[in-house]
Amino acid sequence: MGSFVAVAWVLFLNVVVVCNGGKTSTFVRKAEKTVDMPLHSDVFVSPTGYNAPQQVHITQGDHVGKAIIVSWVTMDEPGKSMVHYWTDKSSHKNVAEGKFVTYRYFNYSSGFIHHCTLRNLEYNTKYYYEVGIGHTTRQFWFVTPPQVGPDVPYTFGLMGDLGQTFDSNKTLSHYEMNPRKGQTVLFVGDLSYADDCPYHDNARWDTWGRFVERSAAYQPWIWTTGNHELDFAPELGETKPFKPFTHRYRVPYKASQSTAPFWYSIKRASAYIIVLSSYSAYGKYTPQYEWLEAELPKVDRTETPWLIVLMHSPWYNSYDYHYMEGETMRVMFEPWFVKYKVDVVFAGHVHAYERSERVSNVAYKLVNGQCNPVKDLSAPVYITIGDGGNIEGLANNMTEPQPEYSAYREASFGHGILHIKNRTHAHYSWNRNDDGYAVEADSMWFFNRHYHPLDDSANDKFRN
Ligand SMILES: *[C@@H]1O[C@H](CO)[C@@H](O)[C@H](O)[C@H]1NC(C)=O
Ligand SMILES: *[C@@H]1O[C@H](CO)[C@@H](O)[C@H](O)[C@H]1NC(C)=O
Ligand SMILES: *[C@@H]1O[C@H](CO)[C@@H](O)[C@H](O)[C@H]1NC(C)=O
Ligand SMILES: *[C@@H]1O[C@H](CO)[C@@H](O)[C@H](O)[C@H]1NC(C)=O
Ligand SMILES: [Fe+2]
């Protein structure tokens, strides 16, 4: 009798195990051609008025969230790189002065690209700002984050590989309309896809800037570089990687002792965000390697419990597309991510969605053959969110069977929201563009790796 029960129990467990493998969503998105919105689309319209500032966007301007970099483009003449800004509470207008740059790319000449940093801002305060001094002016606003601290709730939006198609517009609209209200976008790379146009037509960088202005002028977008930011085209005589990106987008890399704008860190509310570059050298002795090695021990989890890493090329990816492209960086950095208990890694590149279990593959050595990722509660969850909807279309071809470490995967366009509640809990959700704004197609409660390092997998097979 006892052994019968035992056998039945074993059978039952087996069934449970089989039923609770990672999930490949059965949702099949209608196959449609992904096309760029035409140049005359409403989202690309230039603001009216002589020399009107356009492509306005902001990002964090220091290490802790008390500064903002405001960027914009004027087309007719340089004008002034000046920003006026003020709060509700005072009628006094502050003024900050920035600089402008221009660049040429093959036969394209840019407008006047202005960058101006507003410093010594108050935390948790709504600021209005005005650009375009002298001719046509335009007003926007942003809200600074709360002071950095362990229990400060904050909501990040996640987008990647956005481009400028009708689907891109849907993704951005869904992000804007999501009732969970993202306060800052963590963007995992591949912005405009201008390089997919003949001669990398940089006018598509301008249209992209006008397209995302409706969000990026009002809340910071934290930039990660992807392969579409390289714009490396020796056949056009363009051999300096990241040229359009670095002229148009600024990041506060010096504030984290980085020596290049492709890897850096910021603190925001209760999160410590490390941005890495899949397309800059990361081997031993390289600047990025040395920076990250010095950076990770600086993270004080009692101040910022949530350690988040952004990169473009995912390390754990079970789609056919870009399969194992992230492997060399994984070999270099994964032991550190486990040692320092990174909570979550967001990547893009693969034009689909995937969420992993907490796994690591750090036991692997060339000589021992242990090459299966194993459950590891010190390891991050890896999320691929390259599903912004760019012109290259959906990645819908997956490796089969779904590896055990892959918790959920689906070939749809969408965006994510990470809502940090306090030092122990964060709620994460993913919205697919085909659903209503409030629908969570995938979700997970994150338990913080420093304060609450319990098993947070929803998958019985991966739970202790
Ligand atoms: C750049 O050169 C290409 C190829 O000759 C041409 O089609 C395009 O119109 C040119 N663009 C500009 C802005 O001159
Ligand atoms: C883009 O989305 C916005 C907001 O949903 C909408 O008003 C606009 O018409 C859309 N434009 C295009 C070209 O789809
Ligand atoms: C999809 O992947 C399978 C193998 O995993 C491959 O044989 C097939 O050619 C791929 N199809 C496309 C359209 O890439
Ligand atoms: C943290 O947030 C979670 C989820 O909302 C809640 O259950 C928990 O009680 C909170 N912890 C504290 C200390 O407030
Ligand atoms: Fe990419």
Side-chain angles (χ1 to χ4, degrees), residues 93-408:
K93 282 195 180 177
N94 304 288
V95 60
E97 176 109 40
K99 289 200 166 101
F100 72 88
V101 293
T102 60
Y103 75 95
R104 286 185 59 82
Y105 189 94
F106 185 51
N107 61 354
Y108 167 92
S109 301
S110 76
F112 306 94
I113 305 167
H114 305 259
H115 303 286
C116 178
T117 305
L118 319 185
R119 297 185 188 281
N120 300 315
L121 303 173
E122 299 293 323
Y123 283 120
N124 222 355
T125 302
K126 182 169 184 175
Y127 283 88
Y128 298 86
Y129 69 100
E130 186 176 279
V131 288
I133 288 82
H135 299 284
T136 316
T137 62
R138 294 178 70 205
Q139 268 186 28
F140 304 88
W141 53 263
F142 59 81
V143 180
T144 51
Q147 179 162 11
V148 173
D151 288 305
V152 187
Y154 204 73
T155 308
F156 292 101
L158 282 312
M159 279 187 272
D161 304 67
L162 189 56
Q164 44 192 307
T165 71
F166 291 97
D167 292 302
S168 322
N169 194 35
K170 260 194 187 159
T171 303
L172 182 56
S173 302
H174 275 243
Y175 170 62
E176 293 172 302
M177 300 301 285
N178 191 321
R180 287 163 204 84
K181 292 262 164 274
Q183 295 167 286
T184 290
V185 170
L186 305 179
F187 193 85
V188 294
D190 284 359
L191 286 61
S192 74
Y193 287 74
D195 61 340
D196 277 348
C197 300
Y199 314 101
H200 293 227
D201 185 1
N202 273 226
R204 278 286 179 180
W205 274 104
D206 291 313
T207 53
W208 196 80
R210 295 200 288 271
F211 160 48
V212 301
E213 182 190 87
R214 70 183 203 238
S215 170
Y218 297 92
Q219 58 173 253
W221 285 39
I222 307 303
W223 301 110
T224 311
T225 46
N227 50 308
H228 288 277
E229 277 66 69
L230 282 165
D231 279 305
F232 175 71
E235 72 281 11
L236 303 178
E238 293 296 345
T239 53
K240 192 165 166 34
F242 302 113
K243 188 183 188 182
F245 174 82
T246 48
H247 283 84
R248 290 166 183 275
Y249 294 89
R250 288 287 152 92
V251 301
Y253 66 98
K254 288 178 186 156
S256 54
Q257 289 77 53
S258 167
T259 49
F262 315 116
W263 57 89
Y264 63 100
S265 70
I266 58 165
K267 299 179 198 178
R268 202 162 175 89
S270 42
Y272 200 103
I273 295 155
I274 293 180
V275 177
L276 295 180
S277 174
S278 303
Y279 306 99
S280 305
Y282 43 76
K284 200 159 180 178
Y285 316 118
T286 62
Q288 183 169 209
Y289 179 101
E290 304 228 321
W291 176 82
L292 185 60
E293 185 178 39
E295 174 71 5
L296 283 163
K298 292 181 193 165
V299 182
D300 176 2
R301 299 293 277 277
T302 65
E303 186 195 37
T304 49
W306 296 94
L307 180 51
I308 299 169
V309 177
L310 312 180
M311 61 177 67
H312 188 63
S313 188
W315 295 355
Y316 287 95
N317 159 37
S318 74
Y319 288 80
D320 284 355
Y321 301 81
H322 306 305
Y323 183 60
M324 287 186 79
E325 280 181 22
E327 189 65 3
T328 47
M329 190 195 249
R330 183 192 70 73
V331 170
M332 294 313 297
F333 293 157
E334 189 181 27
W336 292 346
F337 282 22
V338 174
K339 178 176 176 194
Y340 291 98
K341 297 187 165 55
V342 171
D343 289 292
V344 55
V345 176
F346 292 102
H349 203 34
V350 177
H351 303 157
Y353 175 71
E354 184 165 24
R355 174 173 58 81
S356 82
E357 299 290 351
R358 293 194 185 278
V359 288
S360 75
N361 198 2
V362 292
Y364 176 63
K365 305 278 183 298
L366 267 185
V367 289
N368 68 9
Q370 292 176 19
C371 62
N372 278 331
V374 295
K375 176 176 174 134
D376 188 337
L377 287 183
S378 295
V381 168
Y382 294 89
I383 293 177
T384 303
I385 190 102
D387 53 351
N390 64 73
I391 193 169
E392 294 178 353
L394 209 55
N396 50 13
N397 208 359
M398 306 170 184
T399 62
E400 301 291 355
Q402 182 173 18
E404 275 182 21
Y405 71 74
S406 170
Y408 185 99

Side-chain angles (χ1 to χ4, degrees), residues 63-79:
H63 205 230
V64 297
K66 293 192 71 165
I68 277 277
I69 305 170
V70 181
S71 304
W72 71 98
V73 180
T74 53
M75 290 298 195
D76 303 311
E77 57 170 277

Side-chain angles (χ1 to χ4, degrees), residues 18-61:
V18 171
C19 290
N20 287 278
K23 183 172 169 196
T24 298
S25 171
T26 52
F27 183 92
V28 179
R29 191 178 181 277
K30 197 158 102 265
E32 288 166 314
K33 206 168 148 26
T34 316
V35 289
D36 272 352
M37 293 179 279
L39 291 171
H40 57 77
S41 301
D42 50 3
V43 294
F44 297 145
V45 169
S46 295
T48 52
Y50 176 74
N51 212 34
Q54 56 168 269
Q55 307 174 46
V56 180
H57 54 92
I58 60 174
T59 196
Q60 184 160 319

